[in-house]
Amino acid sequence: TQTVTIPATLAEVYRVEYQDSAGFWQEIKRATPRGGYGWTAEPSNAVLRIEGYPAYLADGYAVRLHGYKFQEQLSATTDVCYYEPGGIVARAAYYLCKSAISRDARYAQMVLLYKDESEAMMRRAKITRQPGTQKVRV
């Protein structure tokens, strides 16, 4: 059918391969934005399509996807998630000032300051991706 269903845990793909009859993994190139042969992703349907000659070569063989998974929900005290340390402090200050507005109006100005600062610092964490990474699931 030339379609590969994306596993539920996979969010982005940067490389697609198939295993040939000799047991070697052969890369399938990504199709160009204007169309052509190779693989394309449909995030809304969570499928990957292989078109043209690469689909003929990979027909009947195992396909392997290289990509990035969704982070699992944190469930234990030993689970970790990366945040900018300054952003956590600014976010805590934001919530403290927000709760103190009812007692003292001067905290209202500081709420806006800490909110903007914490949001900027939370976005500061660098995310490294392979070139050609494409989103495959909404």
Side-chain angles (χ1 to χ4, degrees), residues 52-99:
Y53 189 63
Y56 171 75
L57 292 174
D59 187 27
Y61 293 112
V63 175
R64 179 166 65 178
L65 306 175
H66 297 263
Y68 302 102
K69 296 176 17 175
F70 288 110
Q71 180 174 339
E72 295 179 17
Q73 186 174 5
L74 303 178
S75 60
T77 57
T78 57
D79 290 346
V80 294
C81 183
Y82 176 75
Y83 281 109
E84 182 74 26
I88 295 171
V89 172
R91 185 58 91 181
Y94 161 67
Y95 285 124
L96 289 171
C97 289
K98 187 176 172 183
S99 66

Side-chain angles (χ1 to χ4, degrees), residues 36-129:
Y37 297 153
W39 65 270
T40 56
E42 293 181 14
S44 58
N45 298 328
V47 296
L48 189 119
R49 294 196 186 282
I50 304 171
E51 301 289 339
Y53 189 63
Y56 171 75
L57 292 174
D59 187 27
Y61 293 112
V63 175
R64 179 166 65 178
L65 306 175
H66 297 263
Y68 302 102
K69 296 176 17 175
F70 288 110
Q71 180 174 339
E72 295 179 17
Q73 186 174 5
L74 303 178
S75 60
T77 57
T78 57
D79 290 346
V80 294
C81 183
Y82 176 75
Y83 281 109
E84 182 74 26
I88 295 171
V89 172
R91 185 58 91 181
Y94 161 67
Y95 285 124
L96 289 171
C97 289
K98 187 176 172 183
S99 66
I101 289 176
S102 62
R103 291 187 303 266
D104 194 344
R106 66 183 171 153
Y107 290 110
Q109 187 70 20
M110 294 188 336
V111 164
L112 297 175
L113 173 77
Y114 285 126
K115 180 182 178 193
D116 292 342
E117 183 179 340
S118 66
E119 287 175 355
M121 292 181 107
M122 290 296 190
R123 288 189 301 263
R124 193 178 295 171
K126 299 286 184 215
I127 299 173
T128 306
R129 296 280 189 261

